[in-house]
Amino acid sequence: MHHKDLSVFKDGNIEFPSVLTIGWLSPERAYSKGVVADSVIQQLKRISGGKDAYDARSNTMRGAIQCKLCDDFRLQNPSELWIESITEGEYYIAPELIIHYIEDHHYKPPEAFLSAVEQIDLNKPFSGQDIEEQLMKQVGYSDLPVNRPDNIL
């Protein structure tokens, strides 16, 4: 599923105006390429690992997902990553495959996203899943099933 970087996130007919998409790449569409600092890549790996107080994971799936850009990479039990923007009350949503896209396909996310990732305090309690659930309730979808990372893994 492709979403243009920094577009408002939509899940079906539900629009989340405070959530911007990052890294939803498709082989049919061009994407920004460049060098991303290793510190940002390592930070993304930490926040997707769920071992720190800051846990960006949400909507974890069972099974594996394959990279559509190369077909050589498979990710087990992938999640969406919810990351706080520098702007209060705004978030970014990215596929966990973003790490692979950066490392192996030279994808370069927008600078605002990279800055937000760099500024994450790993000791700060944060749950991407909780943020997603709160926003869903705000738009009236409180009864939807939830794929919580701790229920899947």
Side-chain angles (χ1 to χ4, degrees):
M1 170 185 332
H2 177 267
H3 296 281
K4 183 178 177 186
D5 278 348
L6 301 175
S7 62
V8 171
F9 176 60
K10 294 179 185 175
D11 188 358
N13 293 331
I14 308 168
E15 188 171 288
F16 297 89
S18 63
V19 182
L20 302 176
T21 60
I22 299 290
W24 297 88
L25 306 183
S26 166
E28 294 86 27
R29 311 249 178 150
Y31 55 89
S32 175
K33 292 185 178 185
V35 176
V36 174
D38 188 58
S39 60
V40 173
I41 297 169
Q42 296 310 312
Q43 185 85 319
L44 281 168
K45 288 179 179 180
R46 290 283 303 265
I47 65 172
S48 70
K51 294 183 171 85
D52 295 291
Y54 195 104
D55 184 357
R57 299 171 305 156
S58 181
N59 202 22
T60 301
M61 299 180 343
R62 289 183 188 215
I65 190 168
Q66 192 161 345
C67 174
K68 292 179 177 159
L69 300 180
C70 67
D71 290 330
D72 291 335
F73 181 80
R74 292 173 59 91
L75 180 64
Q76 284 296 125
N77 302 324
S79 298
E80 294 170 346
L81 301 179
W82 286 68
I83 297 167
E84 292 174 289
S85 168
I86 293 171
T87 304
E88 181 77 25
E90 288 186 358
Y91 302 91
Y92 298 109
I93 183 171
E96 193 172 356
L97 274 173
I98 193 171
I99 298 163
H100 167 70
Y101 294 155
I102 292 169
E103 290 183 316
D104 295 331
H105 299 289
H106 311 290
Y107 166 60
K108 185 170 185 189
E111 287 298 327
F113 173 79
L114 298 175
S115 295
V117 170
E118 282 185 310
Q119 294 185 28
I120 291 172
D121 177 358
L122 295 170
N123 297 312
K124 176 186 173 188
F126 177 85
S127 167
Q129 186 67 55
D130 289 346
I131 295 300
E132 181 177 19
E133 289 175 17
Q134 289 169 15
L135 291 174
M136 289 180 84
K137 286 178 184 174
Q138 287 176 9
V139 297
Y141 287 89
S142 59
D143 297 331
L144 295 177
V146 175
N147 295 332
R148 294 188 70 84
D150 50 342
N151 292 342
I152 301 293
L153 305 177

